[in-house]
Amino acid sequence: MAGMRFSCSTRRLRRYQVNTASTKQPSKMNGLCIPSRSPFLGLPQEIILMILLDVVEEEGEISWQERTRLQLICRALRDFVNFTPSFWSQISVSEPREIWQQHLDKSGQLELTVTCDCPPREELHASFLSTILPHAHRICSLTCSIDGNSSEAVVEVTTHAASTLRDLSLFYDERLARRIDGIPFDMLELETLELSGIFTVREPMWWEGTVLRVVKLENVNWVYEISTFLDFLEANDQLESFHYSLLENILDQEDLAPQDLPSYDTIVLPNLTHFFVYSIPAFHLLTILQHVSFPSDAQISATVGDSFPTQEPAADFIVPVMNRLAALRPPSSGITLRFDTDEAFLFAENKGWELGFYNDALNFHPRGEAYRTFLQQIPSEIRALISSANVAHMRPGADDPALLVKALSQDADSLSMFECLLDETWLSALWMDRSRGWDGFRLPKLDWIFFNVCETSTAADISNLTNLLQARSAAVQDKMHSLDVTITVPIQYDEGEIQAALKEPSLLNLEPHIERITTD
């Protein structure tokens, strides 16, 4: 891939070359040809630098492999790269050891971007940090893995870099660690902070004095004290993006209960564009929504971590949470109900909010009652706006599709759009009594229905869908409204019997939209 990237980049370089005669044999590398006296090398150095940096950058970072290839093209370019500090200001532990010191020597006094993402227990980790420590005062961006054995070295580097660091990302190599001590988080220039897998940040009010704009915290134990969230947001009114996620289940029942709070004025975050909290207690979410003023165009996304709708105290707070979201961003049009593998969501796209629930909360028996209770717990004025349901990414048990479709038919009166997989399980759920023709279809009020061909789809499923659409076509026309049918076909499934079934005249005569797509 590196070679391919270089070839593509160097093709852009050709635009700046002039084919002139040269007294020396031109240098060649991967199809790039630069005469040693090419007018390209006579361009102003600032322009040469812009072009060459574009050649060696991959996803915003300088690739040392591409930089090396550039140096091999000719002596002039080798000297240009060697004596231009900008090519050496990004240093990574993934580079050969012998190049580490070259970075520090050749980057002059430029600020450094440092990446140390190898496993902390390796000797390589300690060796790299000790190499850069004398230059820590130049580090403006640091990404580093950490564990109990390496934290002392990381503390030393961050302490020396505290006056210049603007971007800091620390992540534990182990999935869940217990604490991190000694990091001077109150860095005056710190703008971007990412902590992942760090379970306890012990310093109270560690954010005081920062100018944080982007914050991403994963498995940091703020979940116990909602006042910590509010204190942080109150002290950082310049925030533009805030992400908090708790991926480990550390909640006990007592952690979900309401907490006594100090008095807060309304917390205004005028620059906020994204507010994302994943797996926090429903009471915590409600408290945040009650105390924070969000800009009208900010995206609010939240998933509650306690069970709903069967266990207390979640059921006491979920309805107020939904009402509060609707009050903050009144949905003027439809709401989408979406089921993914692990979660269910209410999604109001036009108003920029999304509320998620763990699917585990729906896994009580009887299963039919789970979906009915879930829908009935949604306030009626919000439930009336559920206009679409997307279950294309749901991997349910054998009976789940039928039970969910039944619940939707009874409690989602405004449902006009439905998206699911094209297989026997979902066709049977939608068309439970095929002997009754179209009258046996469970969601007859739909205006749009989307079927996604998947690994479980068969030619028989497409034939059954054809029969369903023919039954609808044969129904009494003056009682029918239009129904748009779309069949989405990933190209990897558009072959063999599936491909033949999609070309059947009996299906095509019914004029469904067939969309062929590529997937990652």
Side-chain angles (χ1 to χ4, degrees):
M1 290 299 294
M4 293 175 60
R5 171 65 174 82
F6 182 76
S7 297
C8 293
S9 300
T10 54
R11 280 199 292 270
R12 294 197 295 271
L13 194 54
R14 296 175 191 269
R15 298 197 301 266
Y16 303 96
Q17 299 174 33
V18 179
N19 293 323
T20 59
S22 174
T23 59
K24 292 186 177 182
Q25 183 70 21
S27 302
K28 295 184 179 180
M29 183 67 185
N30 282 0
L32 176 63
C33 178
I34 300 180
S36 59
R37 296 180 181 177
S38 167
F40 169 76
L41 297 175
L43 293 172
Q45 288 198 356
E46 294 82 357
I47 295 179
I48 296 177
L49 178 61
M50 291 173 58
I51 296 170
L52 296 185
L53 285 176
D54 182 59
V55 169
V56 299
E57 281 188 354
E58 289 183 350
E59 299 180 357
E61 298 182 357
I62 293 177
S63 164
W64 69 269
Q65 295 96 332
E66 299 299 336
R67 183 186 60 223
T68 301
R69 291 191 179 100
L70 194 61
Q71 291 175 285
L72 293 174
I73 292 174
C74 67
R75 179 180 298 175
L77 285 182
R78 182 189 64 199
D79 291 343
F80 186 87
V81 170
N82 282 339
F83 293 102
T84 303
S86 299
F87 285 98
W88 303 92
S89 61
Q90 297 180 14
I91 177 172
S92 172
V93 71
S94 63
E95 300 186 54
R97 290 187 184 218
E98 59 270 17
I99 297 181
W100 296 349
Q101 191 61 47
Q102 290 184 39
H103 274 278
L104 300 173
D105 296 338
K106 294 181 179 182
S107 57
Q109 292 303 310
L110 290 184
E111 293 181 331
L112 298 174
T113 297
V114 176
T115 302
C116 183
D117 53 3
C118 66
R121 297 182 186 277
E122 293 185 4
E123 185 274 334
L124 191 67
H125 188 278
S127 178
F128 179 78
L129 292 179
S130 64
T131 300
I132 67 170
L133 181 59
H135 297 263
H137 62 283
R138 295 166 50 200
I139 300 175
C140 67
S141 178
L142 174 64
T143 299
C144 191
S145 59
I146 187 172
D147 66 7
N149 295 326
S150 66
S151 59
E152 184 176 338
V154 177
V155 167
E156 191 172 9
V157 170
T158 53
T159 299
H160 283 80
S163 62
T164 56
L165 263 178
R166 292 193 298 273
D167 305 306
L168 177 61
S169 176
L170 301 177
F171 58 94
Y172 261 89
D173 187 51
E174 299 170 355
R175 182 162 177 78
L176 187 65
R178 286 300 167 188
R179 69 172 185 263
I180 182 170
D181 298 325
I183 300 291
F185 288 111
D186 54 342
M187 305 172 191
L188 297 180
E189 302 298 323
L190 195 62
E191 297 181 358
T192 301
L193 175 65
E194 180 175 355
L195 303 178
S196 178
I198 297 171
F199 184 55
T200 302
V201 179
R202 301 186 64 170
E203 293 81 357
M205 304 295 284
W206 52 263
W207 56 81
E208 289 188 337
T210 63
V211 289
L212 288 169
R213 296 183 299 103
V214 178
V215 175
K216 184 175 182 181
L217 306 175
E218 179 180 300
N219 286 341
V220 176
N221 71 332
W222 287 5
V223 71
Y224 293 120
E225 299 290 343
I226 181 57
S227 59
T228 310
F229 274 95
L230 299 178
D231 290 341
F232 177 83
L233 295 175
E234 187 176 49
N236 288 277
D237 58 3
Q238 72 284 343
L239 272 177
E240 297 174 9
S241 177
F242 180 78
H243 285 223
Y244 176 85
S245 58
L246 188 69
L247 303 182
E248 296 289 339
N249 183 18
I250 63 169
L251 295 173
D252 296 322
Q253 196 66 22
E254 57 267 21
D255 299 325
L256 309 179
Q259 301 174 7
D260 294 329
L261 295 173
S263 177
Y264 290 92
D265 293 330
T266 299
I267 299 170
V268 180
L269 303 173
N271 301 321
L272 195 69
T273 59
H274 293 87
F275 184 80
F276 176 96
V277 285
Y278 182 88
S279 188
I280 69 170
F283 169 76
H284 288 43
L285 177 58
L286 177 61
T287 303
I288 292 171
L289 295 176
Q290 290 172 334
H291 286 83
V292 176
S293 174
F294 296 92
S296 59
D297 57 348
Q299 176 70 39
I300 303 173
S301 180
T303 299
V304 294
D306 38 353
S307 294
F308 169 74
T310 60
Q311 295 184 15
E312 299 294 341
D316 291 340
F317 304 115
I318 287 296
V319 172
V321 163
M322 286 188 276
N323 284 331
R324 181 61 178 166
L325 276 172
L328 288 172
R329 306 284 177 77
S332 56
S333 59
I335 291 176
T336 295
L337 176 62
R338 187 177 76 237
F339 286 88
D340 290 341
T341 303
D342 300 316
E343 297 152 336
F345 289 92
L346 288 175
F347 184 50
E349 181 176 7
N350 65 322
K351 290 298 180 181
W353 61 262
E354 180 178 273
L355 182 61
F357 315 92
Y358 284 155
N359 271 354
D360 285 347
L362 305 178
N363 289 337
F364 68 95
H365 296 278
R367 300 287 289 133
E369 289 300 315
Y371 292 114
R372 288 294 310 276
T373 306
F374 174 75
L375 288 169
Q376 290 172 357
Q377 287 281 350
I378 299 172
S380 58
E381 61 272 19
I382 298 178
R383 190 168 68 246
L385 292 174
I386 296 177
S387 60
S388 65
N390 186 333
V391 297
H393 299 287
M394 186 177 177
R395 292 289 184 260
D399 296 331
D400 284 65
L403 296 171
L404 176 58
V405 170
K406 180 180 179 181
L408 291 171
S409 68
Q410 294 171 332
D411 292 293
D413 294 335
S414 300
L415 195 68
S416 62
M417 182 184 300
F418 189 80
E419 182 170 357
C420 66
L421 300 178
L422 177 51
D423 63 14
E424 176 60 26
T425 302
W426 284 105
L427 285 174
S428 297
L430 290 164
W431 198 20
M432 296 184 69
D433 189 353
R434 300 180 186 184
S435 65
R436 296 173 56 201
W438 180 249
D439 290 337
F441 191 68
R442 298 303 299 268
L443 301 174
K445 296 180 181 179
L446 292 179
D447 296 316
W448 298 273
I449 188 164
F450 296 81
F451 290 100
N452 294 295
V453 174
C454 62
E455 65 273 11
T456 58
S457 301
T458 66
D461 296 329
I462 298 173
S463 177
N464 287 332
L465 175 60
T466 302
N467 294 337
L468 171 62
L469 298 179
Q470 287 176 333
R472 185 181 188 282
S473 180
V476 179
Q477 295 300 312
D478 59 2
K479 295 182 180 180
M480 303 299 291
H481 61 282
S482 62
L483 176 66
D484 287 337
V485 178
T486 297
I487 303 174
T488 301
V489 190
I491 57 172
Q492 65 264 37
Y493 302 128
D494 190 21
E495 57 186 15
E497 294 182 354
I498 295 288
Q499 186 180 70
L502 291 170
K503 293 181 178 180
E504 281 290 332
S506 55
L507 174 64
L508 298 179
N509 289 339
L510 297 165
E511 299 183 339
H513 304 286
I514 299 178
E515 297 181 354
R516 291 172 170 84
I517 61 172
T518 58
T519 57
D520 296 333

